Amino acid sequence: MSKQVYRRMLLQYMEKAGFMYYETDEPNVNLDSANFFTARIGPKVDAELYNRFEQLLFKDEAWADFRGRPRTIREVLGEGGPGWREGQR
């Protein structure tokens, strides 16, 4: 199985468990296109803790536009979100 196929399989599994996809400039995540960062943030997490988490996602201010914009895994995989059409994969 290729890294990309394995990545897709893992992301689909993470989606079922309620995880969201987060962009980051963390070097180890960006080392390979098969890497990704997901998190599941519970409903009881307060805003201060979430803001601390969000600040850790980006060290470079050029990435600041991505802050606070988690995406669904379906959207990342091209199975939902803007421009998605039924049956497109």
Side-chain angles (χ1 to χ4, degrees):
M1 167 181 318
S2 73
K3 289 191 299 185
Q4 294 302 325
V5 170
Y6 188 65
R7 175 185 192 271
R8 176 178 277 279
M9 182 183 72
L10 285 174
L11 283 168
Q12 289 171 334
Y13 177 76
M14 301 298 271
E15 177 189 30
K16 290 177 184 178
F19 284 72
M20 297 289 286
Y21 186 95
Y22 288 84
E23 299 290 347
T24 182
D25 65 355
E26 207 292 320
N28 289 317
V29 174
N30 293 318
L31 186 64
D32 189 306
S33 64
N35 295 346
F36 57 88
F37 186 86
T38 61
R40 182 173 179 262
I41 301 181
K44 295 182 181 179
V45 172
D46 66 23
E48 182 182 337
L49 184 58
Y50 182 78
N51 287 336
R52 286 178 44 207
F53 163 75
E54 191 177 70
Q55 289 170 356
L56 293 172
L57 293 174
F58 301 100
K59 297 197 186 302
D60 183 349
E61 287 300 316
W63 284 79
D65 285 345
F66 287 106
R67 289 196 175 142
R69 295 187 191 172
R71 295 189 289 162
T72 66
I73 291 173
R74 283 184 183 267
E75 186 177 2
V76 171
L77 294 175
E79 298 172 356
W84 181 75
R85 292 187 302 273
E86 194 67 38
Q88 177 183 349
R89 291 196 186 239

